[in-house]
Amino acid sequence: MSKRAVFLDLAPLDQGDLDFSALRDAFETFDCYEQTPAQDIVERLRGAQVAIVNKVALSDETLSACPDLKLILVAATGVNNIDLAAARRLGITVCNCQAYGTPTVAQHTLALLLALATRLPNYQAAVAQGRWQQSGQFCLLDYPIVELAGKKLGLLGHGELGSAVARLAEAFGMQVLVGNLPGRPTRPERLGLDELLPQVDALTLHCPLTEQTRDLIGERELRMMKPGAFLINAARGGLVNEQALADALRTGHLGGAATDVLTSEPPQDNNPLLATDIPRLIVTPHSAWGSREARQRIVEQMAENAAAFFAGTPLRQVG
């Protein structure tokens, strides 16, 4: 089999700081494009046996127009941009990357929680505004600081990532409680939402977005959370009802919230969480995964996936 690969959207992955030698060496020909408009996909994949994509959509129509295609390497974990049914019908193997960003996302999750608990954005802004310089004493303590030691952290999603967050939280002296997820088998050591939410001081989300988990945290669930509790979402935007979260922050019920994800990305101007009057909210631009180390692991995993496929033993196959 010829080994020509085409990377259709390199830009979301590479900032000019990655080593692609192992991936290049997996193929006889390796072509890269920063971005690929939809109308150019078929032409760029003409004669290629391997398509490499991050977020470029490969539909049934597109895949059917690429008869030489045998393998799709996804430079991410999510494969919702691939028509998996069409790929199966056409005999195209799809392989993704997995657990490449666990340390990076876990530390980002804790960074967001720490920023909320210490009121870091507020104090940073206060210094920038000259308020500390005008203080009549050595310190400025205008914003209540929460000590995490002894507090309860609720986790929704306790796979590799959730477990990593749990270990970091325990290092800060937190007690970790794990909740049952809708659509998953009930486990006796895990709590239902109605039992979990009223007792946790912070809730972090680490679960996939499915029909069962969409709007997992909405108006009802936010009301059930303790006054002053924190909510952290570094998973998927659709897990939290954004309007309900904005309202809960405006009323002062929550102590704060932080999210690395929104329902539409890049976000639209009318997203409820981009309003400028929402207090105690931190929004980061889906950057939790993006350390150089994590992105390099993606490259290495794709090289492994390609080698395994050509050896007849596909690795990290999905669909």
Side-chain angles (χ1 to χ4, degrees):
M1 180 192 300
S2 297
K3 298 180 180 179
R4 176 176 176 244
V6 178
F7 200 147
L8 291 172
D9 56 337
L10 180 66
L13 178 65
D14 186 33
Q15 302 298 312
D17 55 352
L18 301 182
D19 179 3
F20 283 89
S21 56
L23 188 59
R24 290 181 183 277
D25 290 347
F27 311 107
E28 295 168 358
T29 306
F30 182 71
D31 299 323
C32 277
Y33 298 93
E34 291 293 302
Q35 298 283 2
T36 297
Q39 65 269 19
D40 293 341
I41 295 174
V42 172
E43 179 58 33
R44 289 182 176 179
L45 289 179
R46 194 177 305 281
Q49 290 72 45
V50 182
I52 306 176
V53 298
N54 187 299
K55 294 294 182 287
V56 165
L58 296 179
S59 65
D60 187 341
E61 181 181 4
T62 298
L63 295 176
S64 298
C66 301
D68 296 313
L69 201 60
K70 302 301 178 187
L71 173 66
I72 299 171
L73 297 177
V74 182
T77 299
V79 293
N80 56 303
N81 54 321
I82 312 296
D83 189 325
L84 295 178
R88 283 193 298 271
R89 190 186 75 248
L90 296 167
I92 302 170
T93 299
V94 180
C95 298
N96 69 348
C97 297
Q98 300 170 11
Y100 56 85
T102 299
T104 299
V105 178
Q107 78 176 29
H108 191 92
T109 301
L110 263 293
L112 293 176
L113 178 56
L114 287 165
L116 291 173
T118 60
R119 301 296 290 268
L120 180 63
N122 300 104
Y123 281 114
Q124 183 181 30
V127 173
Q129 295 161 4
R131 291 170 52 198
W132 185 24
Q133 298 88 316
Q134 299 162 11
S135 175
Q137 55 187 7
F138 76 95
C139 63
L140 186 72
L141 293 175
D142 288 2
Y143 306 102
I145 297 169
V146 174
E147 186 174 273
L148 295 181
K151 301 297 191 298
K152 293 181 180 179
L153 174 68
L155 293 178
L156 289 175
H158 196 245
E160 178 163 341
L161 180 54
S163 298
V165 170
R167 290 191 295 271
L168 294 178
E170 287 168 347
F172 279 92
M174 301 190 78
Q175 178 186 351
V176 175
L177 303 176
V178 181
N180 274 309
L181 286 172
R184 302 278 184 88
T186 300
R187 297 172 59 168
E189 72 275 16
R190 299 186 178 182
L191 306 177
L193 273 184
D194 289 7
E195 184 179 359
L196 177 74
L197 295 180
Q199 60 177 309
V200 297
D201 301 286
L203 179 71
T204 65
L205 309 181
H206 309 286
C207 49
L209 178 63
T210 66
E211 287 309 307
Q212 289 79 22
T213 61
R214 188 176 301 278
D215 281 345
L216 178 64
I217 304 299
E219 181 181 359
R220 171 184 174 273
E221 290 75 22
L222 291 167
R223 283 201 311 267
M224 293 178 64
M225 293 180 69
K226 292 171 64 172
F230 302 125
L231 173 65
I232 314 291
N233 184 10
R236 291 291 181 264
L239 296 172
V240 177
N241 184 291
E242 292 169 337
Q243 185 61 61
L245 177 57
D247 294 342
L249 289 167
R250 286 192 181 100
T251 64
H253 176 66
L254 292 183
T259 184
D260 185 56
V261 288
L262 295 173
T263 52
S264 177
E265 298 172 343
Q268 305 300 312
D269 290 340
N270 61 353
N271 187 291
L273 294 182
L274 295 185
T276 58
D277 65 331
I278 303 175
R280 298 179 300 284
L281 172 66
I282 300 172
V283 179
T284 54
H286 207 138
S287 57
W289 68 283
S291 70
R292 187 201 61 78
E293 293 86 351
R295 290 180 289 111
Q296 187 63 50
R297 288 187 202 106
I298 290 176
V299 176
E300 293 164 359
Q301 287 191 15
M302 290 194 296
E304 293 170 357
N305 290 348
F309 172 78
F310 290 127
T313 55
L315 185 65
R316 304 183 186 95
Q317 184 173 355
V318 295

